[in-house]
Amino acid sequence: MRIKASLLQAWLPFLRWFPMTQETVRADIIAGITVALLLVPQSMAYAQLAGLPVVYGLYASIVPVIIASMWGSCSQLHTAPVAMLSMMSAAALIPFAVMGTEKFIELAIMLGLMVGVLRMTLGLARLGFLVNFISNPVLVGFTNAAALIIGLSQLNKIIGVPFPRTDAYVADLWNVLLQIGETHWLTLAFAVGAYTIIRISDRYIKRLPGVLMAVVIATAVSAFVGFEKKETVALEAIQAGAQSELIRNYIETKATMGAMTSNIANNNNAIHQLNQQAGQNLQIAELEGEILTTQLKLRTLKKQNNQRQVDLNRVAFVRVLADGGANYYERDQLPDGMTADVHNWRLASVANGQAIFSAGGAVVGSIPKGLPSFSVPVIDFSIMLMLLPAAFIMALIGFLEATSISRAIAIRTKQKTDVNKELVGQGLANIAGSFFSSFTVSGSFSRSAVASKIGACTGLFSIISALAVVVVLLFLTPLLYHLPQAVLAVIVMMAVFGLVRVQPLIHAWRVDRASAIIGMVAFVATLAMAPAIANGIMVGIVLTMVAFVLRVMKPRSEVLGLGSDGILTGIKAHNLAPVSQSFVPIRFDGAIMFANVAYLERAISEARSDFPEARTILIVGGGINWIDASGEEKIREMAVSLHNIGITLTFSSLKQQVRNSFECSGLDTLIGEGNIFHSKGEALTALTKHYENTSNKE
């Protein structure tokens, strides 16, 4: 019965919640409601960060939250949208679709499915150890850079200016900084006010989350003062003089770019279908050439239109009411005798061939009411292959975050966690969520920390938080219409800037400068390669592996001498005299393998050169963990060549697995059982006695 119960719990991990008590249920309900107050504004902010309408943040806070809580291994881990993966999702998809479009949304959901499949596969194959390939300095460097990229990407929403995006994030950010003189002061006031409310609330009013108070107060004030002030205008109503042509070109170019993006997607799909047929190489090459040409043209048009958008944002318009509606003029070109309203209008965006003018700031706007429906994710196989590297990095980064949080909570709550089960749970959450319009999700540090601190006992608290989001979607979405986007930007900024840590890199510099330098390179590479920030951590991983291989190729080795305390230690490091002129002990710290056998041979050769009278070479092998076939062959070769010139090769302090390799290969017979000592003390005594006896006979 115990075996059956254990097996059932392995397949249905949520059974560990039972039996529940009245106290645990009460604690979970309180924790769930509290986390929901944080989850709603954060999920909307992170959806915006992912380039999606805010409602998709709420969609991603229902099914994935429930599935992850039921199939994960940590009861207090809360899974939903997080800042890092939201930014990485947007960065990965920008080359394939325009943010906020239907195609972009489809790709974001497909990417979430890919991340889920990868995580679940890694978990089922028990490959959770792969995250160990990301060293801590690399992770810190990447996280610091990503946090800066994410936070500063919200700057335009704080000051109310456009943020035209290209493939060069640093240049895009510089364009935003150049627009500081065009700051929309009321937007900035909402941002500063939200920041102040959150800080004061978190410090002095701890019963309610500061972000919730900021959202409620800012939304109420925004609705009261009419913060949005937005009008959709036909092109005929714009009497912009010299700017008319600029506006027309901007709108027409944007439509052309949309058509070109669709053409690229169609050609990619055609290539995928042709790849399944034989003899279509010529047609595939033609389509690939057409895609490349279109991408180059698209890049040029995007750059031109970005500049038009910035230029148009600087133009102040006034609105003149007339019998047939309203006309818009440049402020300094208003005809005599006409009276305009008191507002400064500017071109905010375009939609469906019409201009959208704004005299206020950006708000969340209409949020569709109701729950996400079940729908199979749209799969674009050609784009899927190109997204695979980014999806793999997102799977690892998100899992690493979730694992770190789980371990921190486990230490506090003394519960057992299983990294592979957590991978499966996170994978299932993303897979199931993709069928309900969810983008990529992962474990959240802030929400999990709140749940743990309040006293959540089981994953029921996550289900309670998801049900609270359901209530919001069913009944409360109209109340969020006037929420300023600047407030959501502040929430994102405050969340991600808290991830910036300099001290770990300083500490790494003291311990291992090579690792610290690699972490700094990962930081710079992530910034330089943005928005494709996944490439930054790939640079760090590759450099880490290169550094590891170099260290394996050159393990520590040194000739040993007797210290004043009678312990064998390095001759050069401690300026010691040799143990004997007749034999040379050499410590070798590392596996004997194909990558470093030449280094072992060189160490022995240098010892022979420094001590030409020595007749025995003693390898102190306490630091040798294993030996491969190349290492065994090289030892065999050296033992024979040294024997031929009258020098004996001996070993001491070998670990059992190395001794086993010697015995299986016959090395112990070749070297001689009497030349393999259990300890360096035994070897030192035996060799000293042997050469003393030899000297006495002579």
Side-chain angles (χ1 to χ4, degrees):
M1 288 297 292
R2 285 185 179 180
I3 295 176
K4 289 183 179 180
S6 178
L7 185 62
L8 190 61
Q9 195 173 105
W11 286 98
L12 303 173
F14 57 87
L15 293 178
R16 71 180 185 276
W17 301 352
F18 301 96
M20 293 182 177
T21 65
Q22 186 175 353
E23 289 75 16
T24 61
V25 171
R26 181 176 179 276
D28 285 337
I29 291 174
I30 294 173
I33 293 173
T34 306
V35 168
L37 298 179
L38 192 62
L39 173 62
V40 171
Q42 277 191 349
S43 63
M44 292 193 296
Y46 297 155
Q48 196 175 64
L49 182 61
L52 303 170
V54 295
V55 71
Y56 284 89
L58 298 175
Y59 291 165
S61 301
I62 303 175
V63 173
V65 176
I66 295 172
I67 297 298
S69 69
M70 295 176 69
W71 270 271
S73 68
C74 180
S75 298
Q76 286 78 24
L77 181 66
H78 191 275
T79 299
V82 294
M84 184 74 73
L85 294 190
S86 297
M87 175 65 182
M88 293 183 73
S89 175
L93 300 178
I94 283 175
F96 305 104
V98 178
M99 277 188 171
T101 61
E102 192 66 32
K103 181 65 176 178
F104 192 91
I105 294 170
E106 290 176 356
L107 291 178
I109 294 172
M110 182 185 77
L111 182 58
L113 174 63
M114 292 172 64
V115 172
V117 171
L118 286 170
R119 283 190 187 172
M120 190 171 74
T121 302
L122 291 172
L124 292 175
R126 305 193 70 79
L127 295 176
F129 66 87
L130 286 178
V131 297
N132 296 329
F133 286 101
I134 305 176
S135 69
N136 188 61
V138 168
L139 181 63
V140 171
F142 169 76
T143 302
N144 287 350
L148 291 177
I149 292 167
I150 294 168
L152 294 176
S153 70
Q154 304 299 299
L155 180 61
N156 67 304
K157 294 171 184 172
I158 299 290
I159 61 178
V161 299
F163 192 163
R165 297 178 185 272
T166 65
D167 294 334
Y169 171 82
V170 176
D172 297 343
L173 180 62
W174 179 247
N175 284 332
V176 172
L177 296 175
L178 292 177
Q179 300 178 73
I180 286 180
E182 310 298 325
T183 297
H184 186 253
W185 295 106
L186 188 54
T187 297
L188 181 61
F190 269 102
V192 173
Y195 175 83
T196 304
I197 291 170
I198 292 171
R199 282 297 185 204
I200 292 175
S201 176
D202 287 347
R203 185 166 185 177
Y204 299 107
I205 312 172
K206 304 199 181 214
R207 292 188 177 181
L208 285 175
V211 293
L212 178 68
M213 295 186 65
V215 165
V216 171
I217 294 172
T219 303
V221 173
S222 171
F224 180 75
V225 302
F227 176 60
E228 183 182 26
K229 295 186 182 67
K230 185 169 67 175
E231 296 284 348
T232 301
V233 180
L235 295 182
E236 296 75 19
I238 305 173
Q239 313 299 322
Q243 303 299 334
S244 294
E245 189 66 22
L246 184 62
I247 294 173
R248 195 175 305 279
N249 287 341
Y250 175 72
I251 294 175
E252 290 176 355
T253 302
K254 192 163 187 178
T256 302
M257 289 165 57
M260 292 171 73
T261 302
S262 298
N263 184 49
I264 291 173
N266 292 335
N267 284 344
N268 278 323
N269 286 330
I271 289 173
H272 174 70
Q273 294 174 2
L274 290 171
N275 278 326
Q276 299 175 1
Q277 305 173 19
Q280 302 295 329
N281 293 340
L282 181 60
Q283 191 172 353
I284 290 174
E286 290 176 354
L287 288 173
E288 288 176 342
E290 185 179 335
I291 289 173
L292 181 60
T293 303
T294 305
Q295 286 175 334
L296 292 174
K297 290 180 180 178
L298 186 60
R299 190 174 299 171
T300 301
L301 291 177
K302 182 183 286 188
K303 187 175 181 180
Q304 293 172 351
N305 234 31
N306 285 346
Q307 188 57 51
R308 291 189 187 107
Q309 185 181 8
V310 172
D311 292 341
L312 287 170
N313 186 66
R314 294 193 177 104
V315 180
F317 291 88
V318 293
R319 184 177 66 168
V320 177
L321 297 176
D323 293 338
N327 291 320
Y328 289 79
Y329 297 84
E330 289 184 57
R331 177 167 287 281
D332 56 0
Q333 294 184 13
L334 180 66
D336 294 336
M338 287 191 175
T339 304
D341 62 17
V342 297
H343 301 297
N344 280 322
W345 295 82
R346 69 185 187 281
L347 182 67
S349 61
V350 296
N352 301 321
Q354 292 184 304
I356 299 175
F357 277 85
S358 174
V363 298
V364 167
S366 298
I367 300 177
K369 190 176 182 179
L371 302 179
S373 58
F374 176 86
S375 61
V376 178
V378 177
I379 305 298
D380 188 325
F381 288 101
S382 57
I383 295 180
M384 176 182 283
L385 291 175
M386 290 183 277
L387 286 176
L388 195 57
F392 184 72
I393 294 296
M394 289 172 67
L396 287 183
I397 292 294
F399 171 61
L400 192 59
E401 284 186 325
T403 303
S404 300
I405 299 164
S406 297
R407 286 174 176 169
I409 293 173
I411 291 172
R412 181 177 177 273
T413 60
K414 298 180 181 179
Q415 62 180 300
K416 292 182 179 179
T417 59
D418 185 324
V419 293
N420 292 300
K421 284 184 180 178
E422 201 61 67
L423 264 173
V424 172
Q426 295 282 310
L428 283 173
N430 279 279
I431 293 171
S434 68
F435 287 86
F436 292 90
S437 303
S438 168
F439 61 103
T440 309
V441 298
S442 189
S444 163
F445 181 82
S446 59
R447 295 188 295 270
S448 300
V450 168
S452 178
K453 185 177 180 180
I454 290 176
C457 298
T458 71
L460 177 63
F461 90 93
S462 291
I463 297 176
I464 298 297
S465 71
L467 294 177
V469 175
V470 169
V471 172
V472 170
L473 279 169
L474 290 177
F475 305 108
L476 303 180
T477 52
L479 301 179
L480 297 171
Y481 180 95
H482 291 284
L483 172 60
Q485 291 190 14
V487 175
L488 296 181
V490 168
I491 293 172
V492 171
M493 274 189 163
M494 295 182 71
V496 299
F497 284 157
L499 299 175
V500 176
R501 298 180 299 155
V502 178
Q503 187 57 40
L505 288 178
I506 296 175
H507 181 73
W509 180 264
R510 294 171 182 156
V511 176
D512 180 11
R513 292 193 175 184
S515 296
I517 290 172
I518 292 173
M520 294 174 194
V521 170
F523 173 81
V524 174
T526 303
L527 286 177
M529 295 180 178
I533 60 176
N535 293 337
I537 199 166
M538 286 301 297
V539 169
I541 292 173
V542 170
L543 289 178
T544 300
M545 298 307 296
V546 169
F548 172 75
V549 170
L550 290 175
R551 286 177 177 173
V552 168
M553 290 176 64
K554 293 184 177 181
R556 180 186 177 194
S557 67
E558 58 183 343
V559 175
L560 302 178
L562 275 177
S564 57
D565 54 1
I567 297 176
L568 284 174
T569 187
I571 281 182
K572 292 182 179 179
H574 297 86
N575 194 25
L576 299 175
V579 174
S580 169
Q581 293 298 325
S582 301
F583 66 92
V584 182
I586 302 172
R587 180 167 59 205
F588 190 83
D589 294 334
I592 302 177
M593 54 180 288
F594 70 95
N596 65 18
V597 287
Y599 193 75
L600 173 61
E601 186 176 28
R602 191 175 73 180
I604 293 174
S605 177
E606 289 177 354
R608 285 182 53 217
S609 177
D610 292 340
F611 303 93
E613 297 180 7
R615 311 315 302 162
T616 298
I617 302 294
L618 169 65
I619 304 298
V620 179
I624 302 173
N625 290 315
W626 57 280
I627 179 173
D628 70 358
S630 298
E632 186 274 338
E633 182 62 31
K634 178 58 68 174
I635 291 174
R636 181 181 296 275
E637 178 186 311
M638 287 190 296
V640 172
S641 61
L642 288 172
H643 177 75
N644 290 338
I645 59 174
I647 298 175
T648 304
L649 181 64
T650 63
F651 288 85
S652 77
S653 313
L654 294 179
K655 294 179 179 176
Q656 188 59 49
Q657 63 268 28
V658 180
R659 287 293 299 266
N660 292 342
S661 297
F662 273 44
E663 291 169 3
C664 291
S665 65
L667 262 182
D668 57 337
T669 303
L670 176 67
I671 294 171
E673 285 288 351
N675 292 322
I676 300 176
F677 304 97
H678 290 289
S679 68
K680 57 188 176 183
E682 179 187 340
L684 192 62
T685 301
L687 290 174
T688 301
K689 184 176 181 180
H690 171 74
Y691 284 108
E692 283 179 353
N693 292 337
T694 303
S695 177
N696 291 334
K697 288 179 181 179
E698 293 176 355

